Amino acid sequence: MNIGETAEKSGLPAKTIRYYEDIGLIAPLRSANGYRDFGAADLHKLAFIARARALGFSIEDCRSLLALYEDAGRASADVKRIAQEHLGRIEEKIAQLQSMQDTLSDLVQACCGDHRPDCPILGDLAGALTRKI
Amino acid sequence: MNIGETAEKSGLPAKTIRYYEDIGLIAPLRSANGYRDFGAADLHKLAFIARARALGFSIEDCRSLLALYEDAGRASADVKRIAQEHLGRIEEKIAQLQSMQDTLSDLVQACCGDHRPDCPILGDLAGALTRKI
DNA sequence: TATTGACCTTCCCACGACTGGAAGGACTAT
DNA sequence: ATAGTCCTTCCAGTCGTGGGAAGGTCAATA
């Protein structure tokens, strides 16, 4: 299977698949003409990675998860730990964003948004120094 | 005021301040010895930017907001629009992360995390192709 | 006066995870 | 033979810094 077909079936851009080979996540065979030749196992791996990426796992997490997936003697605790750490980072990020959202939605509400220059949003930003941020 | 003092007062690393000069956000004077010489207005701008960055605005948003801040004839509608667009992106990002969080916390809960290899987390990732992701 | 040590300068490289594009070879259909 | 599509490699760019090298400047001390 050439890279084009593989890209279509895995849902990943061909560029991304080449990149994954570069960094050693996958290792497709090569045809006589130099083209990459993907097998079912490669496609499976790519779909695995795509799903993990969609859940926000980093490439290095993906590498670890793939290794665990292929290790029949793994302990599920190792997988769970990676997922829990990732979940923690996600929760942290959500909290950060919600804090921004809270402040911003207050400011946006307070701004009448007309032709006049007075604006509590700019007021907040400009007051940063006085408030020591 | 040298860059070190400015960094301390603005809460921004000196590296970051130099970068902001590079991309034209600020334009401090230079002393005879070649050192940057920051005035009160520069410090004010930097604090403004730091606050905007803390609220998640992109550098380009910061550039626009600074320009509006310095334009006495601005319309608050222009500021509000930038803030609202940014707020929209934040809400989108939060929704994405929450969707990941939902899935991941379910999976983590379902994984008993012991010495055995069976793991619903890996099961989910591996099933990506079958489910067409 | 000489010499530390702290500060400043510019420059280039690295990060994460791709993405775009150029230059050129391979294959298929007309 | 030619056109068009696919494939290859390689290089550069993204965003907002952070790290570090090589070298100039300044204030304080021996």
Side-chain angles (χ1 to χ4, degrees), chain A residues 7 23 28 47 83 106 115-116:
Chain A
I23 62 171
D106 282 358
H115 65 286
R116 289 171 301 171

Side-chain angles (χ1 to χ4, degrees), chain B residues 25-74:
Chain B
L25 278 188
I26 52 167
L29 298 174
R30 293 286 175 144
S31 303
N33 58 13
Y35 288 15
R36 289 172 183 81
D37 183 19
F38 297 85
D42 294 313
L43 186 54
H44 203 93
K45 272 195 188 186
L46 286 170
F48 183 103
I49 298 166
R51 171 68 175 159
R53 295 287 298 138
L55 289 176
F57 284 102
S58 72
I59 293 285
E60 286 317 305
D61 279 346
C62 290
R63 198 189 298 279
S64 306
L65 289 170
L66 258 183
L68 287 168
Y69 181 59
E70 292 178 339
D71 173 9
R74 69 184 164 254

Side-chain angles (χ1 to χ4, degrees), chain A residues 13 15-16 19-20 33 35 53 58-59:
Chain A
K15 277 264 180 191
T16 299
Y19 172 68
Y20 288 167
N33 58 12
Y35 287 16
R53 294 287 299 134
S58 71
I59 292 287

